Every structure is written in C-alpha cells, then in structure tokens.
Amino acid sequence: MSSWRERLAFAPLETAERGEEIALRLRHSIELGVLEDGAQLPSESELAARMRVSTMTLRTALAELRHLGLVETRRGKGGGSFVRANTGDIAKAQRDTLAAYSLEDLRDIREYRAVLAGSAAAVAAGRSQQVPIGRLASMAAMIGTAKTPAEMMRADSQFHVELAATSGSVLFTRQEMAMQAEVGALVWAGASDRRRAAAKEHAMIVDAIRAADAARARLLAEEHVRRDMNRLIDLRLSLDSPPPGSLPADEGVDNAISAVESFASRLEGAAAASITSVEEAAQAGLDHAKKGRLDELEDVYDVARENLKAMPALYGTGFIAEKGYFGEPGSIWCYLPSGPESPQRFEMDPEFYDYSTAPWWPASDADDTVHASYAYIDALGTNQHVITFTKRVTKAGKMAGVAAVDVLVSRLQTEFDPLLRPLPPNTCIVDQNEVVIATNTASLVGVILSSHHQAERRIALPSVPWSLCLSVSAGENAAVSDLTALGDTP
C-alpha cells in the first residue's frame, strides 16, 4: 500500500471519536478505490494511534466493515485485516457516496477547502524566499501526465497536502489531509477532462508563491478549489434531476415559474398558520396566567409539536418570551432534529443567546403581521442556516413575545430544486439581502448576488420577500460570498 493512500485513508479524525465515523471514513476509502482490494490494514494499535482514536473505538469500526463485507480478518502467520473491495462498481459507490451529502454539506466543504488552500498558499508565498519550493513545483506538474482518475486523484491530493506543508503549518497540513480523505476521491470521479486545466492551475499557484505574491497565490488557490468543488456540486444536483421530457419543452419554463410561485405561497401559508395557532395558544395561556410566568403557557408546546407533524416544510416553531413582559428571557420551542417523526423540545440558554439582537427579532416599530427574516446562521440555536418567520404577540397593548417558525435553507433548496430544473442554467432564488437560498447551478450555491450580477429576468415571489432570478451572469469582478458570512449581514 503506497504512502499517499495511507495518509488519506488514515488521516486523524478532527471530530468526536465515534466508531461510525471511522467506519464511514474507511468505507469511503475502500469503495472509492483509495484503499485497494487485498491491501492489508495496519495493526489495530497502530491504526488507532494514527487516527487518534481508542483501540476499542477502532474495533467497533472494523466490526462494522466486516459486517458489510469490506474487510476480512485472517488468522495465523501473515494474518491481519485485509480490504475486500468491489472494484467493479466504483462508479456506483461514488454516486452513492455523493448522494449522502446535501448541497449545504458540499457548499460548506467547498468554502472550508477554499479558505484552507488559500491561506496555505498565502503563507507559503510569504516564506518562499526562505523555503525551497522545488518539491511543490514537481508535484504541481504530476497531474499533467496522469492517465486514470485514480492517478489524477493521487496527484491532486499530493499537491494540496504539499501546499499545506509548504506553509509550515502542521495544523494546515493535518486539516488538508482530512479534507482529502473525505472528498478527494469524489472530486476526481470521472473528471478526466480536468487534467490539463488542473495542471495549469497548479502551476499558476506555484508561480505566485515563487514570486512571493501572497494575494495572488491565495486567490488562485481558492478559485482552483471552488472550481473542482462546483463540479462536484453540479454532479450532486444532477442526481436529483427529473427524468428527461418530464415537462413539455414549450411549457416547461412557464410551468416551472408558476410552480415556484405556488410553493412560495404554500410555504408562507404554512408558516403563517403555525404562527397563528401558536399565538392563539399563547394568548389563551396569558388570559389564564395567575403568576405571569412563561411556564404557564405550556399548552404552546403541544400546539407547536402538532404543527411540525402536520407541516413537514417547517423545522421549528414556538413562542419566544419578551424579557420586559415576563421579567426574564425564555422560550417554548419545538424542532425536528432528524425528521417529522421526532419533534423535540429545544431548551434555550438565555445566558449565551441574546435573541433581542437576532435577525428575526421584531424592530421596535414592527407591525403585528408575519415577517420573514433574511437567511442567517442560527449559531446559538439550531446551528443551521435558517429563515425565521415571526409575528409579535401582544397583550393589553404590550409586547409579550414572538410567535415564530424556522425553515432550513437546505430544505428550501431541496423543495425548490425540482421546480428550478426546467429553468435556464444560473437561475436562483434570493432573499431580501440577495443571498441565494436555492439554485439549479453549483457556482451560485451560497452566493450573495452583487451589483456585478445581472439577471435576464427577475420575478418577485408572492407572500415572501424573495425573488426568482433567471439566467444570472456575473462580471469579471463579481464578488463570491458564502453563507458563512450571513451572521454579519446587515
């Protein structure tokens, strides 16, 4: 087994030491061809040390792989654990593995990898006069002579790991190895057309580092990674494509626009209905409250729970207390961590979550109608990209709190995806801050449209502050922004 395969497959885990995570890492490495059929794995103690997990945790992972028939254990002299790969069906394994990622997962990986590669390239450029970069240059050229996707994956992975190492940062290198272990094989699934372009991009990055041009090195590395990841995102989008001919060519666009408008209306209607029922339950609790405490509104939780069961597009709903009314902050909130069959109560920690400054909290001059926030990261709540619908709840002219509904941005992409498919490429739906919340093109996933972007047609969607933008084009200087910046969006 060559060292580059070991470095990818056995890179240390950066997350919790769970057997299923290790099993998934090794399973992907086997199914995607990183670990070849018949290869012997290191001993349990050595492998556990390399992946930085306990021996017991590793044994759990290997037991799962044996159950799946991907690893076999041989006894006696020359024994150990050996890979049993189904080498005839790597393409299917690649599709299945890719299908397990959501677009939001891939978008986050894209931006993380781009920032990681860009930062490593910039730091390397700052050290280029003191550190030889001949090894990096030779690795940059390797992909140009690669013949198979496996060789391309190897050359590209080696270049990126060496780029991180050239920065002099052990942490950069470790993180890059983890990223290559996770998606390196997927990036080069059937990507033979990218070989020459990748070789040129590698060489340009090295030239910028050699010239000590940190800004250019960063930009080139980020663009290179985003280009590869956008191709992967497009492949993921294609897995959900409707069958050819499902819409008549002459009616497809008009029907798709109508379907997008109809879903937007239904979604707002579902959010408004949930908010109304939560508000009614809260008002009833306030009418009967004797001590003016939030726990006297407990019926709100049962209503919220039933709303989520009945309206699968919603992720969370409930009532958030106004501190000035109850004397302390708090909430009665139900959400769906894993699906409509498992609504759970969310316990907010008011010490760390000042929701009065959250994007969805009503302004002092807000009216008593339903409003939708822009897309944001609910960092101290769901830890997801969400849009929140809200309505003030008042009692005797005084604001008692807010009835609200959360909708996941990832769920919007899932729901809108088949409706956007018949529309022209580079079509998207944006919120009131021009953040793309759904699209049919990888390069627009997570983007914030700027003045450099132009749409052939823009349609305001009914009931929500969103627009459908058809055939978006970008100028040479268009800024590419991702949803990780949404927490600071004004």
Side-chain angles (χ1 to χ4, degrees):
M1 192 188 308
S2 54
S3 61
W4 74 274
R5 296 180 185 274
E6 293 180 342
R7 293 168 71 188
L8 294 187
F10 309 144
L13 270 70
E14 300 296 331
T15 53
E17 297 184 3
R18 298 184 304 193
E20 58 267 27
E21 293 183 8
I22 303 171
L24 186 61
R25 161 77 68 79
L26 295 177
R27 177 180 176 180
H28 287 177
S29 296
I30 293 169
E31 291 180 335
L32 301 179
V34 176
L35 295 178
E36 297 174 310
D37 186 43
Q40 183 174 6
L41 300 179
S43 67
E44 289 183 354
S45 59
E46 180 185 350
L47 189 52
R50 291 173 68 169
M51 300 188 79
R52 297 181 183 170
V53 297
S54 68
T55 304
M56 186 61 67
T57 300
L58 179 67
R59 286 175 181 168
T60 301
L62 292 177
E64 174 65 17
L65 294 175
R66 281 193 290 270
H67 176 72
L68 293 171
L70 296 174
V71 168
E72 67 175 357
T73 299
R74 302 173 190 170
R75 306 296 179 186
K77 186 177 180 180
S81 295
F82 294 82
V83 171
R84 295 181 59 188
N86 182 4
T87 56
D89 207 9
I90 289 179
K92 181 180 183 303
Q94 290 170 336
R95 289 193 302 271
D96 292 345
T97 300
L98 182 58
Y101 287 93
S102 69
L103 290 184
E104 188 166 281
D105 292 336
L106 294 174
R107 190 278 322 285
D108 282 349
I109 292 172
R110 179 189 69 190
E111 295 309 315
Y112 183 77
R113 284 196 64 212
V115 170
L116 183 61
S119 298
V123 174
R127 310 174 70 236
S128 62
Q129 304 306 312
Q130 291 79 37
V131 179
I133 61 171
R135 178 177 168 82
L136 180 64
S138 65
M139 289 190 173
M142 284 173 54
I143 197 169
T145 59
K147 302 298 183 184
T148 66
E151 291 175 352
M152 295 174 201
M153 176 189 69
R154 173 181 178 176
D156 191 54
S157 293
Q158 285 186 320
F159 171 74
H160 281 281
V161 172
E162 187 63 28
L163 175 62
T166 304
S167 74
S169 169
V170 173
L171 185 57
F172 278 177
T173 307
R174 185 184 302 156
Q175 294 289 335
E176 184 60 52
M177 289 173 63
M179 284 291 94
Q180 291 297 327
E182 182 167 0
V183 296
L186 285 176
V187 167
W188 288 94
S192 57
D193 57 327
R194 275 283 293 149
R195 177 172 59 84
R196 290 185 177 84
K200 181 178 179 180
E201 292 163 16
H202 287 180
M204 291 172 66
I205 294 169
V206 174
D207 287 345
I209 293 172
R210 184 180 287 113
D213 189 340
R216 179 168 173 76
R218 181 189 296 276
L219 179 63
L220 289 171
E222 289 182 353
E223 288 180 343
H224 168 65
V225 168
R226 286 197 175 99
R227 202 169 283 121
D228 281 342
M229 289 302 300
N230 281 342
R231 180 188 167 280
L232 193 59
I233 292 173
D234 272 331
L235 282 176
R236 178 63 183 83
L237 281 165
S238 71
L239 298 180
D240 297 326
S241 297
S246 58
L247 287 174
D250 57 342
E251 299 180 6
V253 171
D254 289 340
N255 282 354
I257 292 173
S258 296
V260 169
E261 293 174 328
S262 176
F263 178 76
S265 293
R266 293 198 309 274
L267 177 68
E268 193 280 336
S274 179
I275 285 173
T276 296
S277 61
V278 166
E279 180 186 23
E280 290 174 349
Q283 290 284 8
L286 292 170
D287 288 341
H288 296 91
K290 297 180 180 179
K291 299 180 180 179
R293 296 189 332 207
L294 184 61
D295 58 13
E296 293 178 283
L297 278 62
E298 276 299 295
D299 287 349
V300 169
Y301 177 73
D302 293 333
V303 170
R305 184 182 177 89
E306 291 305 311
N307 285 346
L308 294 183
K309 288 181 178 180
M311 303 173 185
L314 311 182
Y315 180 72
T317 186
F319 176 81
I320 303 95
E322 162 60 46
K323 181 179 179 180
Y325 188 94
F326 288 93
E328 60 182 1
S331 66
I332 302 174
W333 193 263
C334 186
Y335 76 115
L336 299 172
S338 58
E341 72 285 350
S342 62
Q344 294 183 17
R345 184 162 187 156
F346 174 72
E347 298 293 344
M348 183 196 71
D349 187 346
E351 181 178 352
F352 295 100
Y353 194 1
D354 180 10
Y355 51 73
S356 65
T357 61
W360 49 267
W361 189 256
S364 57
D365 59 348
D367 57 30
D368 291 331
T369 59
V370 175
H371 295 272
S373 76
Y374 54 80
Y376 67 100
I377 298 178
D378 187 19
L380 297 177
T382 63
N383 200 29
Q384 302 269 6
H385 294 100
V386 300
I387 291 174
T388 304
F389 292 83
T390 57
K391 183 180 184 295
R392 293 186 350 143
V393 177
T394 59
K395 182 67 175 177
K398 186 177 181 181
M399 181 173 165
V402 173
V405 164
D406 279 344
V407 178
L408 293 181
V409 173
S410 59
R411 184 58 185 262
L412 293 178
Q413 172 66 49
T414 299
E415 296 289 345
F416 277 121
D417 180 75
L419 311 181
L420 296 175
R421 282 288 164 184
L423 296 173
N426 298 315
T427 290
C428 61
I429 297 170
V430 297
D431 70 3
Q432 58 267 53
N433 281 343
E434 298 294 286
V435 174
V436 174
I437 57 178
T439 181
N440 62 6
T441 304
S443 60
L444 290 177
V445 172
V447 166
I448 300 176
L449 299 190
S450 70
S451 58
H452 299 286
H453 293 91
Q454 301 294 326
E456 288 187 4
R457 185 179 177 190
R458 179 180 281 256
I459 303 167
L461 298 182
S463 307
V464 290
W466 308 337
S467 297
L468 174 65
C469 302
L470 276 67
S471 300
V472 174
S473 60
E476 293 182 0
N477 298 318
V480 179
S481 303
D482 65 280
L483 285 177
T484 59
L486 289 182
D488 299 324
T489 305

